[in-house]
């Protein structure tokens, strides 16, 4: 299927990115170009190949179950734009 | 067709259990419950840029323990994946979880319903991180986010749709809870949210082969709510079908106060989680040596314990079932026996007085207010005839309230058996004198009357009279008449 | 000779012999910044006061014999996607405009232990998506080789600061080629180490399985000195790996004529991609080196055709996920007057991200979506394996593989910086190293017709930076520095 405007809007919604009409137009054409680059693998033969999920050859890298001093709440909240009662605040969520 | 009995209810569960680790799954913050909001946090568990996850080894081991205890196969190769979705309680906007290769798969738990054993199959157990908590303050204009729970390790246990009633679901959950507690994998404190379940339910006419459309109810956090939700939802679905309606694949929200569920969102527009491998965490290879090491360290499981109680101690199946269904209760029982008490007597006290008081006073069974050795002592002084059975119940109540040693209670309150003829003979004589009717009955061959007379004497002595001696005295005195 | 033109070894010698003091040196580089920064725009933030305080402290430690590192007292800077405690780390994005990390990246802690003097944070493309600063929220950084007679060339701040004497060395990050491409255009040395050699803890993630921090320096010897300090296993990064090599500089100056060096035919015979001017600079360099008796061999790398699509698909997928945490709640930009949660997300991310980030996030979301996953992402992961196997196999035969860094000149590269599809194609030669995790570096090898530097790229075996640097050093001796 072609990556059309409807798909662009759907993907932008999924990624929670608000776009202006102008942005949509610009993005649509460049995204289509990049998808055609990506389509370069469609005919590749990948039979017998296992997906490469990790670039490192390491395995079983663990930490011990130990508790460290926590950061102060002041530091934890220090980069937030809005806080309230020691919490991060968000617009009211109605469930 | 218009009866509930013409339908079959089909139930599958997804249970989330918080693991009993000290630190979180990917950082070294504490998993302790409670605490002021955002005080068990670091840059990692609030998703700050630049931070990376490092897997807690105990999480993997606990998951393997849970898998072994539920007869699962342990994956030799396993890995983490990202599950992407936006919600304020999920700080990175992806949950590090497991997708196609869970750590354990294909297990089962056996339940017994109406005397028949049934296997409830487990499809998979995987590890993942918990999210933070949203606080909805009805007075303020916004909601608040607390990340103390963010990154607490969970296992998610997914069953096949093998349960056909709320009762079966309850039995499965009881069994699972006991196993997780026995293995030390989770404390399963439902009131702290460390065990919660999503319930998938469908109904179908019994004659029908294929399953009906299922609905899902999320995050039920008490057994009572789960049972009620299953009952209400299966009834709703049957009524819907009966009135010619249709069941939609959807997530529903259970309101335990009102006892009804509401449609949340339909699964048609279901979220696309865009799972993909988590490259920040190298794969986990679990060789058979590791599995065997963990298998060897597994404690005795409830099923085995139950059988042992029946064989070794001669407990009835019912008692053994009740006691072993809770690790705390079972451990308490074992300790009491270890301290010299007769097993059957200990079991009677636990099944009777102890459970009654726990329930009455709303105390959890892992917080019994006195140590097992006190119960063993109590049983000992009863058997030695130092106190009577009647007095023993009073001492037990007192022990439960004060936590005091039973011997001290008996001493302080002078509750020892009165066993000297000099004290008891006048009482016996007085009772005979005051109850000519019963005496006549006895004389006429109604032996039951003796019981009544003894009861009177007990009352006179506030339950402290030695029953054997008093019985003997009555028989002697009545003979004389 | 001016202090800001000297390299680490020279400056370290001067400090050691007490011919200059650390505060003096720091002051002199800060003066150089005042002199030239307004023309170049390398830095997003400069902390003079902090650098000078630190300079005095380090001088004291050197005097007491508490630090012995050759990096002690040397002023440097880092790309602004590397977390610095109590100092903004913006990723050149409106989104992190005011973000102050409460912790240092592991590389920063390591450099601190070595007595480094951090001057400030360098300009870049937003969230490291590019190599020209075209997509920086703050400003565009200019190549120091710009002159009135040539079209203006843009660059990341990292190599510019080093080339222009605004820092003695710098740390960059490389997801698809940033370190090497921008070093190439500025005539400095840039190394992308093997994935895992340098801890990523504290590097703001772009595409997690591609990202790697690396040194940008005036020459290969400096590169080894910085690598010594920043490499090694870190318990904060599960993908980091220890190495038994404690000093990369000891391999420099060793004979390399016995070594076998391969050139992928697909790099140089690719007429469509390779610009003539660059082909010539590369060929001239190979000729010069062949003249000294070094042997080169062409080989075939048939999977080259899949490199770009595979790179795009996987890295954009990862980007869509690593960019998801920016929602205005915990840190970073937050849009105003939002009605509800969805509105907060969309406005914040719509206003906080620039066009390239949005493009890659949307594309990555698409490649990962349930309907497309098998077709794109999973297939790309399989090809990633095949490409890696093929290149590692070639590296069994060759000790080092070489090629151009960029297929085009610095001016063509800048000209198309705003054209996403073309900019993408220009990553073809460099992103191979990120796809496979192999180490790769850029060393200067000449100048194009416009007078802009061009780099020679060297790929090495996994965790064999020793061989890679040894060869690079030998090449550098023969090719000379770009003057
Ligand atoms: Mg889950
Ligand atoms: Zn934490």
């Amino acid at each position: 299927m072609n990556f059309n405007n409807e798909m662009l809007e759907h993907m932008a919604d999924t990624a929670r990115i608000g776009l202006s009409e102008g942005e949509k137009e610009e993005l649509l054409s460049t995204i289509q170009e990049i998808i055609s680059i990506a389509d370069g693998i469609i005919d590749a033969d990948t039979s017998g190949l296992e997906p490469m999920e990790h670039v490192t050859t390491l395995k079983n890298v663990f930490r011990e179950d130990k508790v460290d001093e926590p950061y102060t709440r002041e530091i934890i909240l220090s980069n937030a734009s809005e806080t309230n009662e020691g919490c991060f605040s968000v617009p009211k969520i109605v469930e | 067709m218009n009866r509930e009995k013409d339908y079959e209810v089909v139930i599958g569960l997804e249970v989330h259990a918080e693991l009993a680790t000290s630190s979180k799954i990917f950082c070294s913050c504490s998993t302790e419950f409670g605490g002021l909001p955002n005080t068990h946090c670091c840059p990692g568990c609030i998703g700050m840029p630049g931070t990376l996850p490092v897997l807690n080894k105990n999480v993997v081991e606990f998951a393997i323990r849970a898998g072994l205890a539920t007869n699962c196969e342990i994956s030799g190769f396993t890995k983490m994946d990202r599950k992407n979705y936006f919600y304020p309680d999920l700080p990175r906007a992806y949950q590090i979880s497991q997708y196609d290769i869970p750590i354990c798969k294909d297990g089962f738990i056996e339940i017994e319903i109406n005397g028949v054993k049934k296997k409830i199959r487990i499809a998979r157990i995987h590890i993942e991180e918990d999210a933070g908590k949203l606080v909805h303050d009805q007075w303020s204009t916004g909601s608040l986010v607390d990340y103390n729970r963010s990154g607490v390790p969970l296992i998610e246990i997914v069953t096949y749709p093998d349960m056909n009633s709320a009762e079966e679901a309850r039995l499965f959950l009881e069994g699972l809870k006991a196993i997780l507690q026995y293995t030390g994998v989770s404390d399963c404190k439902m009131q702290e949210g460390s065990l919660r379940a999503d319930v998938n339910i469908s109904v179908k006419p019994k004659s029908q082969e294929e399953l009906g459309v299922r609905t899902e109810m999320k995050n039920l956090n008490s057994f009572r709510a789960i049972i009620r939700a299953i009952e209400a939802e299966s009834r709703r679905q049957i009524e819907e079908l009966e009135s010619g309606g249709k069941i939609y694949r959807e997530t529903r929200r259970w309101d335990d106060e009102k006892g009804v569920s509401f449609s949340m969102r339909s699964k048609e527009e279901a979220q696309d989680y865009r799972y993909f491998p988590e490259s920040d965490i190298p794969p986990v290879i679990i060789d058979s040596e590791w599995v065997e090491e963990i298998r060897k360290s597994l404690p005795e499981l409830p099923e085995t314990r139950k059988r042992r109680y029946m064989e070794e101690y001669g407990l009835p199946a019912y008692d053994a079932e009740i006691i072993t269904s809770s690790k705390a209760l079972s451990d308490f029982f074992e300790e009491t026996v270890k301290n010299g008490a007769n097993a059957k007597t200990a079991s009677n006290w636990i099944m009777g007085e102890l459970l009654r008081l726990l329930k009455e006073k709303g105390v959890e069974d892992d917080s019994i207010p006195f140590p097992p050795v006190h119960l063993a002592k109590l049983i000992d002084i009863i058997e030695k005839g130092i106190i009577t059975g009647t007095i023993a119940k009073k001492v037990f109540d007192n022990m439960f309230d004060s936590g005091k040693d039973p011997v001290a209670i008996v001493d302080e309150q002078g509750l020892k058996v009165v066993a000297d003829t000099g004290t008891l003979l006048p009482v016996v004589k007085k009772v005979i004198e005051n109850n000519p009717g019963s005496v006549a009955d006895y004389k006429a061959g109604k032996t039951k009357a003796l019981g009544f007379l003894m009861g009177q004497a007990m009352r006179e002595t506030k339950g402290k009279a030695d029953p054997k001696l008093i019985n003997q005295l009555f028989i002697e005195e009545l003979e004389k008449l | 000779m001016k202090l800001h033109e000297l390299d680490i070894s020279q400056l370290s010698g001067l400090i050691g012999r007490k011919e200059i003091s650390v505060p003096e040196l720091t002051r002199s580089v800060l003066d150089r910044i005042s002199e030239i920064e307004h023309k170049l725009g390398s830095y997003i933030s400069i902390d003079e006061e902090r650098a000078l305080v630190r300079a005095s402290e380090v001088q004291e430690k050197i005097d007491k014999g508490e630090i012995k590192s050759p990096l002690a007292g040397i002023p440097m800077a880092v790309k602004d996607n590397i977390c610095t405690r109590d100092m903004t780390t913006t990723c050149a994005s409106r989104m992190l405009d005011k973000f102050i990390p409460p912790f240092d990246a592991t590389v920063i802690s390591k450099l601190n232990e070595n007595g480094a003097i951090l001057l400030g944070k360098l300009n870049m493309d937003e969230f490291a998506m590019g190599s020209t600063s075209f997509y920086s929220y703050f400003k565009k950084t200019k190549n120091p080789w710009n002159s009135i007679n040539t079209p203006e060339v843009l660059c990341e701040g990292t190599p510019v600061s080093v080339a222009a004497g605004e820092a003695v060395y710098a740390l960059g990050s490389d997801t698809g080629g940033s370190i090497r491409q921008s070093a190439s255009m500025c005539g400095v040395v840039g190394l992308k180490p093997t994935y895992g050699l340098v801890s990523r803890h504290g590097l703001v993630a772009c595409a997690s399985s591609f990202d790697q921090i690396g040194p940008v320096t005036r020459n290969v010897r400096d590169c080894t000195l910085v690598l010594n300090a920043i490499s090694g296993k870190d318990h904060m990064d599960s993908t980091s790996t220890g190495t038994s090599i404690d000093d990369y500089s000891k391999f420099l100056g060793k004979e390399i004529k016995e070594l076998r060096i391969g050139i992928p035919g697909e790099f140089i015979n690719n007429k469509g991609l390779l610009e003539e001017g660059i082909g010539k600079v590369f060929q001239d360099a190979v000729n010069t080196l062949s003249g000294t008796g070094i042997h080169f061999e062409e080989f075939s790398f048939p999977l080259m055709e899949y490199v770009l699509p595979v790179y795009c698909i996987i890295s954009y997928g990862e980007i869509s996920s690593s960019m998801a945490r920016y929602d205005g709640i915990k840190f970073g930009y937050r849009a105003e007057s939002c009605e509800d949660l969805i509105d907060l997300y969309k406005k914040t991310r719509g206003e906080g991200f620039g066009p390239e980030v949005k493009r890659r996030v949307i594309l990555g979301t698409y490649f990962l979506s349930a309907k497309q996953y098998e077709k794109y992402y999973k297939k790309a992961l399989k090809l990633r394996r095949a490409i890696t196997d093929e290149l590692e196999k070639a590296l069994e035969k060759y000790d080092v593989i070489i090629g151009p860094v960029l297929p085009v000149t610095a001016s063509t590269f800048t000209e198309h910086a705003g054209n996403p599809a073309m900019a993408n194609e220009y990553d073809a030669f460099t992103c191979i190293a990120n796809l496979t995790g192999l180490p790769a570096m850029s060393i200067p090898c000449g100048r194009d017709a416009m007078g802009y530097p061009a780099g020679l790229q060297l790929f090495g075996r996994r965790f064999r930076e020793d061989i890679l640097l040894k060869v690079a050093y030998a090449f550098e001796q023969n090719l000379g520095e770009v003057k």
Side-chain angles (χ1 to χ4, degrees):
Chain A
M1 191 205 63
N2 226 347
F3 193 98
N4 53 21
N5 208 48
E6 196 188 330
M7 181 59 87
L8 173 67
E9 282 172 1
H10 178 43
M11 287 300 129
D13 270 352
T14 307
R16 303 282 188 274
I17 292 180
L19 297 173
S20 68
E21 288 308 313
E23 278 181 304
K24 280 184 202 164
E25 204 176 305
E26 201 270 337
L27 279 168
L28 188 60
S29 64
T30 53
I31 282 176
Q32 283 166 343
E33 280 173 27
I34 296 201
I35 288 177
S36 56
I37 294 179
D39 284 340
I41 65 164
I42 286 175
D43 295 328
D45 178 14
T46 53
S47 51
L49 285 169
E50 284 297 312
M52 182 164 161
E53 282 141 351
H54 299 91
V55 178
T56 150
T57 50
L58 295 168
K59 58 178 168 94
N60 294 6
V61 180
F62 300 123
R63 28 174 291 274
E64 292 303 315
D65 184 18
K66 280 199 194 106
V67 176
D68 276 349
E69 274 296 297
Y71 278 61
T72 65
R73 181 154 79 183
E74 194 195 342
I75 292 176
I76 289 300
L77 299 175
S78 63
N79 277 290
S81 340
E82 283 184 38
T83 61
N84 192 6
E85 295 171 44
C87 290
F88 298 90
S89 88
V90 292
K92 187 152 190 138
I93 295 165
V94 198
E95 280 200 335
Chain B
M1 191 166 67
N2 56 7
R3 293 280 180 274
E4 284 194 20
K5 67 174 169 50
D6 296 326
Y7 284 87
E8 184 172 57
V9 180
V10 178
I11 302 157
L13 296 173
E14 288 167 29
V15 183
H16 285 93
E18 283 187 357
L19 303 182
T21 55
S22 322
S23 63
K24 292 185 177 179
I25 181 168
F26 301 124
C27 64
S28 45
C29 292
S30 167
T31 56
E32 204 183 309
F33 186 78
L36 289 172
N38 297 301
T39 53
H40 296 168
C41 296
C42 69
C45 54
I46 66 162
M48 226 178 234
T51 58
L52 293 168
V54 186
L55 184 57
N56 180 338
K57 189 174 184 188
N58 265 356
V59 171
V60 177
E61 299 216 325
F62 279 169
I64 298 174
R65 286 171 88 84
L68 290 174
T70 53
N71 312 293
C72 284
E73 198 182 294
I74 309 300
S75 303
F77 171 96
T78 184
K79 65 178 172 77
M80 305 305 296
D81 299 279
R82 289 188 188 178
K83 178 181 182 180
N84 296 281
Y85 65 94
F86 289 91
Y87 206 60
D89 64 4
L90 188 67
R92 288 188 213 89
Y94 57 83
Q95 181 193 34
I96 304 180
S97 178
Q98 296 195 287
Y99 183 52
D100 52 345
I101 313 179
I103 209 160
C104 317
K105 58 176 198 275
D106 298 332
F108 66 87
I109 288 180
E110 210 166 51
I111 59 168
E112 198 176 311
I113 181 134
N114 304 326
V116 183
K117 290 202 164 155
K118 180 174 178 182
K119 270 183 188 171
I120 307 299
R121 290 169 304 152
I122 289 171
R124 58 184 284 160
I125 300 178
H126 70 249
I127 55 177
E128 62 186 25
E129 57 181 334
D130 205 349
K133 202 174 87 187
L134 272 174
V135 189
H136 309 284
D137 178 355
Q138 58 171 323
W139 303 112
S140 102
T141 54
S143 296
L144 303 173
V145 200
D146 168 11
Y147 292 114
N148 280 352
R149 303 316 287 163
S150 161
V152 168
L154 300 174
I155 47 174
E156 180 174 331
I157 301 139
V158 183
T159 75
Y160 283 98
D162 283 354
M163 286 152 282
N164 299 107
S165 66
E167 178 61 7
E168 289 186 17
R170 189 187 65 78
L171 288 169
F172 171 81
L173 287 168
E174 293 281 5
L176 177 66
K177 180 177 168 185
I179 287 172
L180 296 179
Q181 287 179 332
Y182 272 69
T183 48
V185 164
S186 174
D187 62 18
C188 297
K189 286 188 179 156
M190 297 201 80
Q191 69 281 13
E192 293 180 5
S194 66
L195 191 73
R196 44 194 202 257
D198 302 346
V199 185
N200 292 309
I201 305 178
S202 66
V203 300
K204 67 176 180 71
K206 280 188 175 151
S207 53
Q208 185 183 305
E209 269 295 315
E210 71 271 27
L211 295 177
V213 176
R214 69 166 196 257
T215 62
E216 183 179 21
M217 274 180 290
K218 282 201 173 286
N219 266 333
L220 297 164
N221 54 7
S222 79
F223 281 8
R224 194 186 96 104
I226 293 168
I227 304 309
R228 295 196 344 131
I230 290 174
E231 283 167 348
E233 177 60 10
S234 49
R235 225 169 14 242
R236 185 193 71 83
Q237 289 190 13
I238 292 168
E239 276 163 20
E240 190 71 47
L241 291 179
E242 282 294 299
S243 59
K246 218 179 132 187
I247 307 299
Y248 296 94
R249 179 109 190 251
E250 61 183 356
T251 302
R252 300 180 69 85
R253 178 181 166 73
W254 173 250
D255 185 329
D256 202 40
E257 263 170 45
K258 298 199 179 95
V260 286
S261 65
F262 302 95
S263 175
M264 280 176 77
R265 59 177 134 80
S266 95
K267 279 250 175 178
E268 264 100 26
E269 48 188 281
Q271 298 207 46
D272 181 350
Y273 290 121
R274 290 162 284 130
Y275 280 100
F276 74 102
E278 170 56 277
S279 64
D280 281 338
I281 299 172
V284 176
I285 313 287
I286 305 164
D287 58 20
S288 52
E289 229 169 280
W290 193 6
V291 174
E292 284 320 306
E293 205 178 289
I294 293 172
R295 198 193 298 278
K296 268 187 235 142
S297 77
L298 279 183
E300 188 181 33
L301 294 174
E303 211 22 64
T304 327
R305 248 192 206 187
K306 179 182 157 191
R307 252 179 284 127
R308 182 162 63 81
Y309 287 4
M310 291 164 68
E311 285 159 19
E312 199 173 307
Y313 301 136
L315 296 193
Y318 179 75
D319 295 25
E321 171 75 34
I322 299 275
I323 291 180
T324 55
S325 71
S326 149
K327 172 153 196 301
L329 216 53
S330 173
D331 286 347
F332 190 90
F333 168 75
E334 301 243 333
E335 274 303 303
T336 309
V337 173
K338 250 186 224 158
N339 278 289
N342 172 282
K344 183 70 184 92
T345 316
S347 160
N348 287 345
W349 277 101
I350 291 171
M351 296 285 294
E353 292 304 288
L354 181 60
L355 286 180
R356 179 182 64 80
L357 282 174
L358 287 173
K359 199 173 169 200
E360 249 175 52
K361 315 226 160 167
V363 179
E364 291 293 320
D365 55 18
D366 59 359
S367 316
I368 298 171
F370 60 88
V373 64
H374 285 184
L375 177 57
K377 273 190 189 173
L378 180 68
I379 292 170
D380 181 56
I381 57 178
I382 300 165
E383 276 171 3
K384 287 192 175 132
I386 295 170
I387 55 169
T388 64
T390 323
I391 289 294
K393 288 195 179 169
K394 282 188 199 156
V395 177
F396 189 91
D397 275 17
N398 193 317
M399 227 162 71
F400 193 97
D401 290 334
S402 68
K404 279 186 190 163
D405 188 307
V407 177
I409 296 170
V410 169
D411 283 348
E412 273 168 30
Q413 306 189 6
L415 299 174
K416 272 191 192 152
V417 160
V418 178
D420 69 297
T421 317
T423 317
L424 290 182
L425 194 55
V427 176
V428 167
K429 284 184 172 165
K430 192 176 148 201
V431 169
I432 290 176
E433 211 178 293
N434 293 343
N435 295 281
S438 300
V439 172
D441 284 350
Y442 178 80
K443 282 286 178 188
K446 290 184 186 165
T447 42
K448 262 191 183 171
L450 178 59
F452 173 77
L453 293 169
M454 277 186 62
Q456 295 301 306
M458 276 296 179
R459 187 184 290 171
E460 281 297 309
T461 58
K462 296 203 172 72
K464 290 186 284 186
D466 176 2
K468 258 190 220 155
L469 178 59
I470 213 159
N471 183 279
Q472 187 197 329
L473 291 175
F474 265 116
I475 291 171
E476 284 170 13
E477 287 305 303
L478 289 165
E479 274 310 302
K480 289 180 192 165
L481 293 177
Chain C
M1 188 153 241
K2 292 172 187 150
L3 281 183
H4 63 75
E5 288 172 2
L6 302 181
D7 69 14
I8 297 172
S9 313
Q10 291 164 323
L11 292 169
S12 176
L14 293 176
I15 294 169
R17 294 190 299 276
K18 301 205 182 298
E19 289 173 38
I20 53 165
S21 73
V22 177
E24 246 178 283
L25 172 60
T26 307
R27 187 71 263 168
S28 127
V29 179
L30 287 169
D31 287 346
R32 172 67 179 168
I33 293 174
S34 318
E35 179 193 334
I36 200 166
E37 174 61 10
H38 66 281
K39 288 186 199 153
L40 299 176
S42 307
Y43 283 89
I44 288 177
S45 60
I46 299 166
D47 196 336
E48 263 201 51
E49 201 184 307
R50 185 167 158 147
L52 289 168
V53 169
R54 171 90 179 134
S56 310
E57 285 169 12
V58 169
Q59 182 64 63
E60 216 170 287
K61 285 193 175 166
I62 294 172
D63 293 343
K64 286 185 189 155
E66 286 170 11
I67 313 182
K68 291 250 152 39
S69 167
L71 302 185
I74 311 292
M76 49 76 66
V78 301
K79 189 164 163 175
D80 208 19
N81 59 349
I82 295 173
C83 288
T84 43
R85 188 174 169 167
D86 302 335
M87 239 172 135
T88 54
T89 299
T90 68
C91 291
S93 178
R94 182 182 196 189
M95 192 60 97
L96 290 182
D97 196 357
K98 297 180 185 68
F99 175 61
I100 300 177
F103 63 96
D104 273 328
T106 297
V107 290
I108 298 292
S109 315
K110 283 178 172 260
L111 288 176
N112 279 340
E113 283 163 28
N114 278 270
I117 311 293
L118 177 62
L119 302 173
K121 310 291 294 285
L122 299 162
N123 195 24
M124 54 188 276
D125 275 308
E126 186 177 8
F127 283 103
M129 299 179 197
S131 313
T132 61
S133 73
F134 179 86
Y135 288 114
S136 168
Y137 172 63
F138 301 104
K139 55 172 135 183
K140 294 186 169 54
T141 302
K142 299 184 175 78
N143 191 305
W145 295 85
N146 285 340
S147 76
I148 21 173
N149 306 319
T150 57
E152 188 177 72
V153 165
L154 299 179
C155 221
E156 262 194 2
T158 315
V160 173
S161 67
V162 177
E166 294 184 295
V168 180
Y169 68 94
L171 295 187
S173 75
D174 193 311
T175 302
S178 291
I179 287 180
R180 289 159 287 154
Q181 291 174 351
S182 55
S184 165
M185 294 187 287
C186 289
V188 293
V189 170
L191 168 69
K192 182 210 83 85
T194 306
Y195 187 79
L197 184 65
V198 176
S199 169
R200 288 180 297 120
H201 171 248
L203 171 67
V204 177
C206 177
S208 300
S209 76
F210 295 76
D211 301 340
Q212 197 52 191
I213 293 173
V216 173
T217 56
R218 303 222 165 118
N219 53 43
V220 176
R221 181 171 295 278
D222 278 9
C223 180
T224 61
L225 299 177
V226 179
L227 188 62
N228 286 345
I230 63 172
S231 57
K233 187 167 179 61
D234 175 20
H235 68 279
M236 299 295 276
D237 174 3
S238 313
T239 61
S240 82
T241 307
T243 155
S244 55
I245 300 170
D246 61 343
D247 182 7
Y248 288 95
S249 70
K250 70 182 178 204
F251 302 99
L252 306 187
K254 299 260 185 339
E255 188 58 53
I256 67 150
K257 282 184 188 141
E258 296 296 300
L259 298 186
R260 303 191 7 138
I261 293 165
I263 303 175
E266 286 74 6
F267 276 34
I268 48 173
N269 304 330
N270 187 343
K271 289 289 178 245
L273 192 57
L274 191 69
E275 215 177 36
E276 212 173 309
I278 280 296
K280 187 176 176 308
V281 178
F282 178 72
Q283 199 50 56
D284 287 349
V286 171
N287 291 344
T288 307
L289 294 168
S290 301
T292 68
I294 300 170
H295 180 67
F296 296 93
E297 195 177 301
E298 213 176 293
F299 74 98
S300 163
F301 178 41
L303 289 176
M304 181 68 193
E305 65 169 307
Y306 300 126
V307 164
L308 260 185
V310 169
Y311 165 69
C312 276
I313 294 164
I314 305 174
S315 72
Y316 290 10
E318 290 186 0
I319 283 169
S320 72
S321 173
S322 48
M323 292 297 121
R325 68 189 65 196
Y326 305 103
D327 55 9
I329 299 172
K330 300 136 304 192
F331 36 75
Y333 177 78
R334 175 174 183 142
E336 277 171 18
S337 56
C338 299
E339 290 160 25
D340 56 20
L341 189 63
I342 296 277
D343 196 36
L344 171 72
Y345 280 132
K346 287 183 141 188
K347 271 193 193 151
T348 296
R349 295 165 61 77
E351 295 164 15
F353 287 143
E356 185 60 14
V357 176
K358 288 179 189 170
R359 180 164 27 247
R360 294 194 191 192
V361 167
I362 290 171
L363 272 159
T365 305
Y366 178 69
F367 294 140
L368 285 175
S369 63
K371 285 199 185 111
Q372 309 298 330
Y373 186 81
E374 294 281 327
K375 178 180 169 189
Y376 290 114
Y377 205 83
K378 189 152 191 197
K379 191 154 195 184
L381 287 177
K382 289 181 177 175
L383 286 166
R384 188 179 197 179
R385 162 99 53 209
I387 291 165
T388 305
D389 288 350
E390 189 169 290
L391 211 61
E392 293 217 288
K393 209 160 168 223
L395 280 162
E396 283 171 18
K397 192 168 170 201
Y398 304 110
D399 299 273
V400 168
I401 289 170
I402 67 159
V405 174
L406 281 167
V408 294
T409 60
S411 29
T412 309
F413 191 71
T414 300
E415 197 187 324
H416 295 139
N419 178 330
M422 296 193 81
N424 228 297
E425 302 232 325
Y426 299 156
D427 289 341
F429 293 165
T430 44
C431 72
I432 297 171
N434 308 80
L435 261 186
T436 56
L438 295 169
M441 65 188 298
S442 168
I443 60 166
C445 75
R447 293 216 246 163
D448 64 27
M450 298 275 195
Y452 284 106
L456 175 77
Q457 190 174 204
L458 301 89
F459 298 88
R461 293 178 188 152
R462 204 171 293 276
F463 293 110
R464 291 312 300 271
E465 274 79 357
D466 55 333
I467 306 176
L468 183 66
L469 287 157
K470 173 172 80 175
V471 176
Y473 183 77
F475 283 10
E476 183 183 58
Q477 299 306 302
N478 291 302
L479 294 170
E481 280 181 49
V482 185
K483 287 275 149 54

